[in-house]
Amino acid sequence: MHAISFIQDLAVIMLVAGVVTILFHRFKQPVVLGYIVAGFIIGPHTPPFGLIHDEQTIKTLAELGVIFLMFCLGLEFSLRKLFKVGATAFIAAFMEITLMIWIGYEIGRWFDWNTMDALFLGAILAISSTTIIVKALNDLKMKNERFAQLIFGVLIVEDILGIGIIALLSSIAVSGSVSPEEVFSTVGKLSLFMIVALVIGILLVPRVLAYVARFESNEMLLITVLGLCFGFCLLVVKLEYSMVLGAFLIGAIMAESRQLLKIERLIEPVRDLFSAIFFVAIGLMLDPAILWEYALPIVVITCAVVLGKMLSCGLGAFIAGNDGRTSLRVGMGLSQIGEFSFIIAALGMTLQVTSSFLYPVAVAVSVLTTLMTPYLIRAADPLSLKLAQIMPNRVSRVFGLYGEWLSSIQPQGEGARLAAMIRKILLQVGVNLALVMAIFFAGGYFAPRIAVYLQGWVMKSSWQHGLIWGAALLLSLPFLIAAYRKLKALSMLLAEMGVKPEMAGRHTQRVRRVIAEVIPILSLLVIFLLLSALSASILPTNELLIVIAVVAAGVAAVLWRWFVRIHTRMQVALLETLDNHKDVGH
């Protein structure tokens, strides 16, 4: 009977969703809205009676929809695009998220909602909808314009920050409070996990997919992709992070595969099916009585979303050096909320820390802002012209001077090349240190289990800790040596730039050599102090620590070239994957 009831519910969902979305398509409205309206029509709160009987199973399928939505967002994500978007995306996204969380929190407190409702409302308003924006820009044939490319850059940064927000909210919901130390700790661990997962994933996953693709079987490739997706989500959940994070990260890793286009084509029907159920499930939760009761907050929040995002994103784009017209178009293009907001609202309900009214309020605001999005994008140009006409000459002159000043401070020629080189070295050092920290974290995490195996040979816990810490250090040597070499290259570059012959005279070369040697050694000492602090739970006694350091130094001296060769191969493999990720068959 349960199976028949489920099939009946699925038939109702698909039939009603099909009819409603056809109507929405005919009237040139977003299909996502059609799914939500379909859910509202067949939902339990819509008279005369509810057509859905097995809501729990539908909610489980909707959770699969969330996984596929985030997985496909990851597939559209590109590390290369992230580096190309420059300051505009980072400044606009950071300003938008900061301002909207604050506005949402203040609105919640103004309506006397509890602290968790207000905090989750701020997070719900922070992230714009990738799905809706891409659809609107496609329909308006503006996808290739410069402001649209800036919007896509902001959305990429938003997706990353949104994952961080979800992790932070989960932590706050569990602990019931938030402290600056906890925030930094959560963000630090999350950033570390994401860097390590991306580096290791990009080294391994594209090669697995390339091997499976050799069999030229779409079925095998699809099953492998789904297996990797669900397996990685499970790993992330075991590490006490959100399943959403896992889906996004494994999608971003597969985005660097040469089979990307084929994967997107294979996964598209599966995504469409489950994401349709997800949006219909959102509509099922809409209660007209709650919408009527909270009509004033819905209107206030909708106005806050449109005006707040116009101001924050537009100002962020302008501060980054874009002209007023482009900045306004970026701000008005991002003035809505969507799928990420639903995921955050659902998180609050799952963790049982938010009130029942918050979800339908978020959906109502999303529906209203989604309807307005195409009109806001169209209105951006006329509005910018109108503002330019009525703006006082003194204000427009100040804006013009700001643009000129920003252009003048940009490094040119040799300076720009040096700045790019320094950024590249610092990025490489950062990635190597993230991998080292991950090895030590893993050592601390698995130490109790490893100690059980070591008890047969080593009884003292201090010796067990010494072996685990020493093994972590030996595993880290290729990355520490690479970080040392990069820091030495950076210090030599800085010494060349900073120590001029007119300052040091005949001692110029000697001073430069001293700087080039001292900076990397001091940096390594700081790194070892940091590692000692991070691995305090398995840190051996001082005597053992000295022995381990001497042994590690000896191993590094003997196997230096081998470690360099191993690391170089890994780096080449990583760069090859990033450079050749396009599907050669398409």
Side-chain angles (χ1 to χ4, degrees), residues 490-533:
L490 178 62
S491 58
M492 287 170 69
L493 187 64
L494 293 174
E496 288 283 337
M497 290 168 60
V499 182
K500 303 292 184 188
E502 53 267 25
M503 291 166 57
R506 61 193 178 88
H507 301 293
T508 301
Q509 291 304 322
R510 198 174 300 160
V511 173
R512 285 175 177 174
R513 271 199 302 274
V514 169
I515 291 172
E517 292 295 336
V518 168
I519 290 177
I521 291 168
L522 288 176
S523 301
L524 279 183
L525 286 172
V526 172
I527 290 164
F528 276 113
L529 288 172
L530 179 63
L531 290 177
S532 301

Side-chain angles (χ1 to χ4, degrees), residues 354-380:
T354 55
S355 305
S356 57
F357 66 80
L358 193 61
Y359 199 111
V361 165
V363 174
V365 172
S366 174
V367 169
L368 291 172
T369 53
T370 298
L371 285 169
M372 294 163 71
T373 296
Y375 304 106
L376 286 169
I377 293 172
R378 277 201 208 102

Side-chain angles (χ1 to χ4, degrees), residues 335-392:
S335 296
Q336 78 295 110
I337 59 172
E339 60 277 359
F340 237 120
S341 306
F342 303 146
I343 291 164
I344 292 168
L347 177 70
M349 291 184 67
T350 306
L351 297 172
Q352 297 180 337
V353 293
T354 55
S355 305
S356 57
F357 66 80
L358 193 61
Y359 199 111
V361 165
V363 174
V365 172
S366 174
V367 169
L368 291 172
T369 53
T370 298
L371 285 169
M372 294 163 71
T373 296
Y375 304 106
L376 286 169
I377 293 172
R378 277 201 208 102
D381 260 359
L383 182 60
S384 65
L385 291 170
K386 189 72 178 172
L387 287 173
Q389 288 172 1
I390 62 172
M391 189 180 291

Side-chain angles (χ1 to χ4, degrees), residues 286-309:
L286 282 177
D287 186 347
I290 289 179
L291 296 181
W292 179 253
E293 183 183 347
Y294 289 90
L296 178 60
I298 287 168
V299 171
V300 170
I301 293 166
T302 301
C303 293
V305 167
V306 174
L307 296 175
K309 285 180 181 271

